[in-house]
């Protein structure tokens, strides 16, 4: 047969792949050395990777939360605090405990009063403020010393500022990874063809995981979510690549030497594995377009993990397979995966019912999943495993209710307006407390921002009146306010906070001399003023802090934000004012969610359809596959709606993307088998055989991802990671069920649509070759390949009597003549007479 044009590029492509594969195998020792150096560098880099534990820091720069938090970091000092609830104590005992905790080195102050906000039901609530910042180890040490003072008492402690979750999460993920590896080893031993393959899989994955973790250093900083889940997800998503190459090697070794087998296997696997990874990469890359930049962070880390896995499989695994070829042969065993013939028969029997029910179900789920309630505040997520802080919060909430802080940032320089805002906002029934310079007492009922004259100053600090007069006149002259000099000095008033700072400055310069008692008073007041100023006022902005106790994501909280903004704008209309609170953060996350959700869905679906169109050269087939997996996504996220549970928004965004990109591989495996078998047998039989053949691959890959996800979801105490794991585990399981039950039925029912929407080479083949299912007496002139009460493949001219289940290759003139014959029983049958053209004669001659 002459070589056709369509075959030449394929042959050329195979030669290129063979050259690449030969080079990799021949240079395998050089690759070992290169990867060895890389792994040493990556091992060093792992310890240098910076981890960000604050999700709000990934908000777009234009959001109010991000701008407000940036201002607070730049303009103010914020001290970390720990809430401690001590039960079954008297007020006197609580006072003594306060003194003991204040005596601990590193404690700035302990807040406790005999009022309803601090003492109820024989329980005392303390707020411990530390004088250490940005040093987690030191803060944890101080808190440990504070708790030591409470030995013998029942207490509950938690902090919204001092976060040791990253350390706890690291320890948890190590345990999860160990358990996941053990479970995956068990799965691989069950589904592999040789026991010696399993250690090779683990070595290849270990290299890829170390590379990914070490190269995170190049990103500068990664989120705690990416750091925690990347290794487990990389293992679950990329183990397929090793399995594909190992199976290819086993097939090639049946007819070739070890060296030739690995070269041939690698040349074929490079294209197959690269194509398989595209859908996963497309789903993960879709995360990178999120407005919430944690999506870019996760997408980058996970995509990099897939690429590292590809490199390790292509460059390291061939050498290992060749080196341990004899061991693989010696430990080869029969697959333990059972045949599922009965399941295949059941699936095909109900093909006229189930797919239509599925379409109705996913239509309903598409609506219901969109109605799900999403959580944007991590504290609102119920943890799978309670920890000390979550138990403490629950206990405090039962007795006192949980306080949430609301910071209002306004331009500085006008204490009168600040005082009015504090008073107005503080009158809101949802506000429990208000804190600002304007309501902080300095001494004897005077607030820090109250204006005071020379005579009042003299009485307040017990300083000679004449000295106070001189001080006020000097202050006025320095600030170009000469009324204190040319008018009555007592008509000139100065904010107390500014006056304290001025007097202390002159004392340091030796211009003012006071007695020891007066000096101590001034120093004490100065320390109080500067402490308040550092926390509440900068050169450009003033911060006012309020507390509220309504739920962070409740309608009451969002109404409170509107009311507070309205109150602030009464006095700062048009000014740069910012509200910073958990509720504001949730609102901003909610605003980005709707946009991110739409972008991710559109990009993921379009990317997958394009990849599948290129893979299958069909316009209809990608739609069927994507609809099947998208249906599993809708079903997955309908479950929280039906259970009346709030779904953490990041779990939805990340899992929907990963589920679409990763689990569609299962659909591709099944569909590939079906389209190949469809050329040799009728669609019903092809679907059964394809389902049985694809089952081991889907079982291996699907069970690994499902188990890994559920392990993460159930074993971690981090609410975000747990939500991600549980959602991904359920989604993967649903995808497996749909691929194993609904998809083969859909392929059979849509067989004609798939054939008609094919294009390129497959479309041309479809025009030339039509599948025939006939019974009776037939006159055939052409090529038949298939079963005619037995298998036949050849050129025929004559009459065939029996059941025909075969492919008939048509010539240029189709069905030129049709006649009617009567067989022995008198049954009317169709006679097909096809005249072959020259092109088909070439095929026949081959």
């Amino acid at each position: 047969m002459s070589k056709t044009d369509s075959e030449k590029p394929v042959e050329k492509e195979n030669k290129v792949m063979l050259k690449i594969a030969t080079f990799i195998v021949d240079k395998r020792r050089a690759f070992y050395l290169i990867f060895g150096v890389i792994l040493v560098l990556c091992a060093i880099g792992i310890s240098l990777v910076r981890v960000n534990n604050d999700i709000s820091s990934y908000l777009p720069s234009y959001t109010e939360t991000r701008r407000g938090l940036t201002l607070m970091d730049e303009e103010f000092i914020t001290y970390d605090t720990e809430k401690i609830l001590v039960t079954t104590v008297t007020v006197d005992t609580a006072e003594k405990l306060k003194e003991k905790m204040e005596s601990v080195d590193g404690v700035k102050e302990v807040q406790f009063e005999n009022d309803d906000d601090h003492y109820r039901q024989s329980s005392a609530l303390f707020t411990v403020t530390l004088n250490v910042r940005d040093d987690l180890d030191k803060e944890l040490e101080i808190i440990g010393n504070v708790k030591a003072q409470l030995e013998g008492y029942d207490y509950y402690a938690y902090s919204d500022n001092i976060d040791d979750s990253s350390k706890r999460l690291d320890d948890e993920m190590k345990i999860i990874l160990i358990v996941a590896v053990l479970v995956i080893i068990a799965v691989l031993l069950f589904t592999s063809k040789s026991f010696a393959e399993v250690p090779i899989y683990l070595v290849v994955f270990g290299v890829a995981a170390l590379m990914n973790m070490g190269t995170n250093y190049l990103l500068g900083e990664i989120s705690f979510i990416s750091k925690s889940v990347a290794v487990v997800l990389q293992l679950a998503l990329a183990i397929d690549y090793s399995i594909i190459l190992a199976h290819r090697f086993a097939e090639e070794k049946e007819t070739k030497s070890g060296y030739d087998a690995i070269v041939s296997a690698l040349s074929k696997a490079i294209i197959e594995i690269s194509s398989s990874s595209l859908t996963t990469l497309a789903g993960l890359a879709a995360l990178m377009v999120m407005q919430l930049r944690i999506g870019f962070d996760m997408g980058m880390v996970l995509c990099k993990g897939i690429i590292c896995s590809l490199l390790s499989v292509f460059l390291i695994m061939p050498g290992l397979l060749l080196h341990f070829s004899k061991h693989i042969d010696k430990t080869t065993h029969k697959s333990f995966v059972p045949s599922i013939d009965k399941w295949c028969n059941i699936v095909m029997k109900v093909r006229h019912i189930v797919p239509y029910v599925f379409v109705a179900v996913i239509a309903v789920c598409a609506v219901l999943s969109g109605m799900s309630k999403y959580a944007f505040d991590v504290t609102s997520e119920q943890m799978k495993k309670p920890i000390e802080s979550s138990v403490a919060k629950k206990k405090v909430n039962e007795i006192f209710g949980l306080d949430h802080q609301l910071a209002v940032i306004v331009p500085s320089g006008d204490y009168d307006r600040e005082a009015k805002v504090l008073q107005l906002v503080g009158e809101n029934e949802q506000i429990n407390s208000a804190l600002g310079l304007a309501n902080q007492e300095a001494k004897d009922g005077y607030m820090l921002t109250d204006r005071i004259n020379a005579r009042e100053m003299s009485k307040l600090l017990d300083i000679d009146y004449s000295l106070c007069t001189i001080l006020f006149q000097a202050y006025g002259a320095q600030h170009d306010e000469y009324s204190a000099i040319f008018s009555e000095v007592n008509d000139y008033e100065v904010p107390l906070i500014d006056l304290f700072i001025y007097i202390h400055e002159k004392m340091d310069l030796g211009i003012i001399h006071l007695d020891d008692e007066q000096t101590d008073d001034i120093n004490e007041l100065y320390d109080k003023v500067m402490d308040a100023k550092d926390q509440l006022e900068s050169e450009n902005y003033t911060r006012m802090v309020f507390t509220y106790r309504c739920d962070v994501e409740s309608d009451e909280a969002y109404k409170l934000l509107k009311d507070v903004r309205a109150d602030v704008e009464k006095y700062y209309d048009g000014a740069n004012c910012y509200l910073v609170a958990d509720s504001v953060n949730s609102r901003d996350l909610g605003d980005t969610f709707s946009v991110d959700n739409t972008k991710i869905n559109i990009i993921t679906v379009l990317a997958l359809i394009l990849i599948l169109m290129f893979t299958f050269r069909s316009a209809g087939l990608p739609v069927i596959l994507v609809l099947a997996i998208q249906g599993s996504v809708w079903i997955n996220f309908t479950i929280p709606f039906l259970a009346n549970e709030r779904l953490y928004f990041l779990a939805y965004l990340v899992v929907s993307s990963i589920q679409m990109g990763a689990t569609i591989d299962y659909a591709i495996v099944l569909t590939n088998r079906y389209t190949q078998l469809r050329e040799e047998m009728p669609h019903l039989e092809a679907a059964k055989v394809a389902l049985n053949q694809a089952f081991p691959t889907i079982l291996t890959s699907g069970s690994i991802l499902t188990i890994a996800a559920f392990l993460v979801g159930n074993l971690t105490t981090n609410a975000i990671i747990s939500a991600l794991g549980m959602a991904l585990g359920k989604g993967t399981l649903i995808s497996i069920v749909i691929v194993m039950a609904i998809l083969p039925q859909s392929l059979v029912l849509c067989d004609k649509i798939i054939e008609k929407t094919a294009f390129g080479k497959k479309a041309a083949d479809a025009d030339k070759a039509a599948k025939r299912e006939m019974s009776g007496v037939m006159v055939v002139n052409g090529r038949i390949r298939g079963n005619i009460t037995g298998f036949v493949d050849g050129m025929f001219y004559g009459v065939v009597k029996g059941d025909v289940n075969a492919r008939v290759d048509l010539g240029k003139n189709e069905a030129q003549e049709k006649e009617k014959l009567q067989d022995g029983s008198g049954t009317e049958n169709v006679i097909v007479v096809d005249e072959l053209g020259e092109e088909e004669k070439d095929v026949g001659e081959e």
Side-chain angles (χ1 to χ4, degrees):
M1 173 183 172
S2 61
K3 193 178 293 184
T4 63
D5 292 338
S6 62
E7 290 172 321
K8 291 177 182 177
V10 175
E11 184 178 339
K12 184 178 180 181
E13 184 180 76
N14 288 339
K15 287 182 178 179
V16 172
M17 289 297 107
L18 279 170
K19 288 181 179 179
I20 294 174
T22 302
F23 175 81
I24 291 173
V25 175
D26 288 345
K27 304 298 181 182
R28 58 188 180 277
R29 290 183 177 84
F31 284 117
Y32 292 160
L33 179 61
I34 293 171
F35 273 80
V37 173
I38 291 174
L39 291 180
V40 171
L41 296 175
C42 287
I44 297 172
I46 289 174
S47 61
L48 303 177
V49 176
R50 289 185 290 114
V51 181
N52 188 341
N53 295 309
D54 182 14
I55 288 183
S56 63
S57 65
Y58 291 97
L59 279 165
S61 58
Y62 60 80
T63 58
E64 184 173 21
T65 297
R66 183 67 266 141
R67 288 184 292 173
L69 288 173
T70 300
L71 275 179
M72 289 203 299
D73 288 340
E74 294 175 350
E75 303 283 340
F76 306 103
I77 292 177
T78 302
Y79 293 101
D80 292 334
T81 60
E82 179 94 0
K83 294 277 189 179
I84 299 179
L85 173 69
V86 182
T87 60
T88 320
V89 292
T90 63
V91 174
D92 291 340
T93 302
E95 292 285 358
K96 293 177 181 178
L97 290 177
K98 175 186 175 183
E99 293 176 2
K100 291 177 66 176
M101 287 187 284
E102 284 179 330
S103 67
V104 174
D105 185 35
V107 172
K108 183 178 179 61
E109 65 173 331
V110 178
Q111 293 180 359
F112 173 79
E113 300 291 341
N114 184 14
D115 55 28
D116 285 343
D117 290 333
H118 297 90
Y119 189 82
R120 290 183 191 177
Q121 301 175 23
S122 299
S123 298
L125 181 61
F126 303 91
T127 301
V128 181
T129 303
L130 309 186
N131 60 13
V132 176
R133 299 183 302 117
D134 302 325
D135 188 343
L136 180 59
D137 291 335
K138 183 62 176 177
E139 289 179 327
L140 293 177
E141 180 185 344
I142 295 170
I143 293 300
N145 293 335
V146 169
K147 292 178 180 178
Q149 304 301 315
L150 304 175
E151 187 175 354
Y153 295 91
D154 292 329
Y155 67 87
Y156 303 85
Y158 76 92
S159 174
D160 291 326
N161 316 113
I162 306 170
D163 184 12
D164 64 340
S165 60
S166 60
K167 290 187 176 182
R168 184 175 64 250
L169 191 57
D170 282 343
D171 295 336
E172 291 173 354
M173 294 310 298
K174 290 174 185 175
I175 296 173
I176 291 171
L177 184 59
I178 292 172
V179 175
V181 168
L182 293 176
V183 173
I184 289 169
I185 289 174
V187 173
L188 291 174
L189 289 173
F190 180 76
T191 60
S192 66
K193 296 182 179 181
S194 171
F195 293 125
E197 291 174 354
V198 177
I200 296 176
Y201 295 151
L202 297 179
V203 170
V204 171
F205 168 72
V207 170
L210 284 174
M211 285 175 58
N212 192 33
M213 290 189 291
T215 52
N216 286 334
Y217 173 74
L218 302 177
L219 301 179
E221 180 182 80
I222 63 172
S223 69
F224 73 98
I225 299 177
S226 299
K227 181 187 177 185
S228 302
V229 303
V231 175
V232 178
L233 286 183
Q234 183 183 356
L235 172 59
L237 295 173
I239 197 73
D240 290 358
Y241 310 149
S242 302
I243 295 172
I244 291 173
L245 180 57
H247 286 184
R248 279 285 187 185
F249 179 57
E251 292 171 3
E252 296 294 332
K253 272 183 63 178
E254 293 178 1
T255 57
K256 298 173 183 167
S257 66
Y259 177 86
D260 292 337
I262 192 59
V263 170
S264 179
L266 182 58
S267 67
K268 296 174 181 178
I270 288 176
I271 297 175
E272 185 177 353
I273 294 172
S274 299
S275 300
S276 175
S277 66
L278 282 177
T279 55
T280 304
L281 287 171
L284 297 175
L287 294 172
M288 298 169 67
V289 302
M290 288 172 55
Q291 292 185 89
L292 186 65
R293 301 308 291 167
I294 197 170
F296 181 88
D297 176 84
M298 291 191 67
M300 180 65 76
V301 172
L302 291 175
C303 282
K304 183 162 59 66
I306 298 298
I307 293 171
C308 289
S309 297
L310 290 174
L311 291 175
S312 63
V313 169
F314 291 154
L315 303 178
I316 297 295
M317 192 172 182
L320 294 176
L321 288 173
L322 181 58
H323 183 75
F324 293 101
S325 177
K326 293 181 179 179
H327 298 283
I328 294 173
D329 291 339
K330 290 179 181 179
T331 58
T332 298
H333 61 83
K334 184 179 179 181
S335 176
F336 302 122
V337 180
S339 173
I340 56 169
D341 290 330
K342 292 183 178 179
W343 172 257
C344 297
N345 291 330
I346 293 172
V347 168
M348 288 301 108
K349 283 181 180 179
V350 295
R351 67 184 183 278
H352 294 295
I353 301 173
V354 176
Y356 300 103
V357 174
F358 174 69
V359 171
V361 168
I362 64 173
V364 173
C365 290
V367 176
L368 295 182
S369 62
M371 298 168 61
S372 294
K373 296 179 180 179
Y374 297 98
F376 301 96
D377 174 42
V378 67
T379 59
S380 67
E381 291 305 293
Q382 189 173 11
M383 296 181 179
K384 290 290 180 182
K385 294 175 63 179
I387 57 176
E388 180 186 0
S389 61
S390 63
V391 173
K393 282 186 177 183
K394 183 177 179 182
K395 189 69 175 179
V396 171
N397 191 41
E398 290 174 354
I399 300 175
F400 293 95
L402 287 177
D403 278 336
H404 306 290
Q405 287 192 340
L406 167 63
V408 177
I409 303 173
V410 297
S412 61
D414 193 330
Y415 296 134
D416 291 336
R417 287 198 294 179
E418 293 171 24
K420 292 176 181 177
V421 168
L422 281 169
Q423 181 179 355
L424 185 59
V425 174
E427 291 173 354
N428 190 303
E429 60 181 10
Q430 299 288 356
I431 296 294
N432 297 312
S433 66
L435 173 66
L437 288 177
N439 66 359
Q440 290 297 291
E441 185 177 2
K443 188 176 181 181
D444 297 342
Y446 283 96
M447 302 300 155
L448 286 177
T449 59
D450 284 350
R451 302 181 73 86
I452 192 172
N453 59 31
R455 188 171 299 280
E456 292 168 333
M457 180 70 177
S458 175
K459 292 180 180 179
L460 180 65
L461 298 179
D462 194 22
I463 298 176
D464 182 72
Y465 173 68
S466 60
L467 178 57
C468 288
T469 301
I470 295 172
L471 283 173
F472 271 72
Q473 290 175 337
Y475 180 92
Q478 182 171 318
H479 293 81
D480 298 328
E481 298 172 354
Y482 299 105
S483 59
I485 300 174
F486 300 108
S487 302
E488 171 58 39
V489 68
N490 286 322
D491 291 337
Y492 178 63
E493 295 180 335
V494 177
L496 196 56
I497 184 172
D498 295 338
L499 192 60
F500 283 157
I501 295 173
Y502 176 78
I503 294 174
H504 191 272
E505 178 186 337
K506 299 306 178 184
M507 287 172 57
D508 285 345
L509 293 174
I511 298 174
I512 300 175
H513 299 280
L514 301 174
D515 60 37
D516 291 342
E517 184 178 351
Q518 291 171 332
T519 300
D520 290 340
D521 286 343
I522 291 294
N523 285 335
E524 182 180 347
L525 287 170
Y526 176 79
D527 290 341
K528 185 174 184 179
V529 165
M530 293 309 298
D531 184 49
K533 191 174 179 65
D534 287 341
Q535 297 182 66
L536 300 173
E537 185 181 49
S538 69
E539 183 178 350
N540 301 305
Y541 292 94
T542 291
R543 175 168 63 174
M544 293 171 274
V545 181
F546 305 90
T547 61
Y548 61 101
R549 284 184 179 164
C550 49
D551 185 75
V552 169
E553 297 183 46
S554 64
D555 293 336
E556 292 84 357
Y558 294 134
K559 181 179 183 301
L560 173 64
L561 296 180
K562 292 181 180 179
D563 292 342
V564 170
R565 181 170 298 281
D567 291 340
V568 172
E569 289 180 349
K570 288 180 180 178
Y571 299 99
Y572 290 91
D573 185 28
N576 292 325
C577 304
Y578 304 96
L579 273 59
V580 182
D582 289 338
S583 296
V584 180
N585 185 43
S586 296
R587 183 202 64 196
D588 289 343
L589 289 172
D591 292 341
T592 64
F593 169 73
S594 57
V595 178
D596 286 340
N597 185 30
T598 302
K599 286 198 297 187
I600 287 177
N601 286 338
I602 292 175
I603 292 174
T604 303
V605 169
L606 290 179
L608 292 181
I609 287 177
L610 288 174
I611 292 171
L612 294 174
M613 285 179 66
F614 175 79
T615 302
F616 291 104
R617 297 184 182 181
S618 170
L621 197 52
V623 175
I624 296 172
L625 300 186
V626 170
L627 184 61
I629 302 302
Q630 182 62 60
S632 70
V633 174
W634 286 329
I635 294 172
N636 185 21
F637 293 113
T638 298
I639 295 174
F641 173 81
L642 298 177
N644 196 28
E645 297 176 350
R646 289 197 294 179
L647 176 66
Y648 190 64
F649 80 105
L650 202 55
Y652 180 88
L653 292 175
V654 174
V655 171
S656 61
S657 182
I658 294 178
Q659 187 178 341
M660 280 292 290
T663 63
I664 202 166
D665 276 356
Y666 314 153
I668 293 173
V669 169
L670 176 65
T671 305
N672 260 328
R673 301 267 184 180
Y674 174 78
T675 54
Q676 292 170 6
L677 292 168
R678 186 67 183 90
E679 297 179 1
E680 301 176 3
M681 57 185 70
H683 57 290
L684 192 60
E685 189 66 24
K688 291 181 182 179
V689 176
L691 187 55
N692 211 337
Q693 291 180 353
F695 174 62
T697 303
I698 295 173
L699 174 66
T700 304
S701 178
S703 61
I704 287 175
L705 182 55
T706 303
I707 292 170
F710 278 135
L711 283 174
V712 171
N714 284 285
L715 296 183
T716 183
T717 58
N718 185 281
I720 298 176
I721 305 298
S722 177
L724 289 172
M726 295 303 297
L728 182 57
K730 288 185 291 186
T732 305
L733 194 58
I734 293 168
S735 296
I736 293 172
V737 172
I738 289 175
V739 169
M740 292 297 297
I742 311 298
L743 183 58
Q745 299 171 339
S746 303
L747 292 174
V748 170
L749 294 176
C750 299
D751 186 74
K752 291 183 179 179
I753 297 175
I754 295 171
E755 185 176 338
K756 289 180 180 180
T757 56
F759 56 85
K761 183 178 181 296
K762 291 189 177 183
D765 290 344
D767 290 336
K768 292 179 181 179
K771 195 74 176 179
R772 306 294 186 192
E773 293 183 46
M774 298 166 282
S775 180
V777 180
M778 285 137 282
V779 176
V780 180
N781 178 9
R783 176 181 177 180
I784 300 179
R785 187 172 188 272
N787 293 288
I788 307 176
T789 62
F791 185 78
V792 179
D793 186 357
M795 300 302 299
F796 295 89
Y797 178 78
V799 177
V800 176
K801 183 176 181 180
D803 294 326
V804 177
N805 178 5
R807 178 175 294 281
V808 179
D809 293 335
L810 305 177
K812 293 180 179 178
N813 302 314
E814 298 183 8
Q816 292 180 333
E817 182 181 350
K818 293 186 178 180
E819 300 178 358
K820 293 183 180 180
L821 292 179
Q822 297 290 326
D823 64 10
S825 61
T827 305
E828 187 178 77
N829 299 278
V830 177
I831 301 170
V832 181
V833 181
D834 293 330
E835 182 179 342
L836 291 178
E838 291 298 318
E839 186 176 10
E840 285 301 321
K841 288 180 180 178
D842 265 351
V843 174
E845 289 167 8
E846 183 187 15

